Amino acid sequence: EATVAESVASALGGPDGGLYRDKADLNEGRLAETYREQRAWVESIDKWREIAEVSFVDEEGKNAISVYMTLPGVQDIPPNKVCVWMQPTALEVRVIDLAGENYVWLARELWGQIDPSVSSYKIRRDKLSLKLAKRSAARSWDRWEKLRRI
């Protein structure tokens, strides 16, 4: 029985990585289930640098906001190094270890409300693209003047 238990433990995650050795490590920040876990993870990493080049377009016909964040080389890091947390009135983006730097963009209060369940993001060449779906109750003529209220 001991031999069987040892071989099972080894297969699941022994010194050689076991069955999951070819899988990328998941980033703890992306797995944070609560705000407290998210804050603890953020505080565990030193020196955050603000993402400087951010632009957006209010896509009237699609009832969405397209956001573009310029991050040269972002396509070359593992996807689990990009953390995007969306809430109805807030947005937080964190990129870890991109050319030796950690980046952040934070909107504690967005210009309008979004629907996080249908919003998304994609890693593209040298940029991060976000599609923020406006909350369904938002009037279609409500135009966003800025991304952040404050």
Side-chain angles (χ1 to χ4, degrees):
E1 288 179 23
T3 307
V4 171
E6 284 177 3
S7 60
V8 167
S10 170
L12 291 176
D16 67 344
L19 294 172
Y20 301 102
R21 69 180 160 270
D22 60 333
K23 303 285 185 201
D25 288 339
L26 289 176
N27 180 290
E28 289 179 21
R30 291 174 55 143
L31 297 176
E33 292 183 15
T34 66
Y35 182 76
R36 183 172 286 151
E37 287 176 0
Q38 181 181 331
R39 293 294 101 209
W41 176 80
V42 165
E43 290 170 8
S44 73
I45 298 174
D46 290 338
K47 298 180 183 173
W48 292 99
R49 188 173 169 188
E50 175 123 22
I51 299 171
E53 290 185 50
V54 178
S55 60
F56 77 100
V57 176
D58 188 341
E59 297 185 33
E60 294 178 46
K62 296 182 181 176
N63 213 25
I65 306 295
S66 292
V67 181
Y68 306 99
M69 299 182 172
T70 302
L71 292 159
V74 72
Q75 73 279 359
D76 298 330
I77 63 171
N80 64 358
K81 300 271 186 179
V82 176
C83 301
V84 178
W85 293 299
M86 297 179 196
Q87 297 174 350
T89 58
L91 173 66
E92 186 168 351
V93 176
R94 302 230 176 220
V95 179
I96 303 138
D97 197 24
L98 174 60
E101 298 278 346
N102 300 315
Y103 291 89
V104 62
W105 192 86
L106 177 64
R108 295 188 195 283
E109 186 177 352
L110 289 166
W111 187 260
Q113 291 190 357
I114 63 169
D115 184 347
S117 65
V118 291
S119 297
S120 62
Y121 72 94
K122 289 185 181 176
I123 298 169
R124 301 196 184 276
R125 183 175 184 83
D126 297 330
K127 70 181 170 185
L128 187 62
S129 299
L130 294 90
K131 190 71 78 174
L132 306 178
K134 290 181 182 178
R135 193 183 60 141
S136 60
R139 297 181 304 251
S140 60
W141 62 84
D142 286 344
R143 295 203 31 93
W144 286 34
E145 296 176 24
K146 301 185 262 182
L147 281 175
R148 300 187 259 210
R149 281 201 182 268
I150 49 175

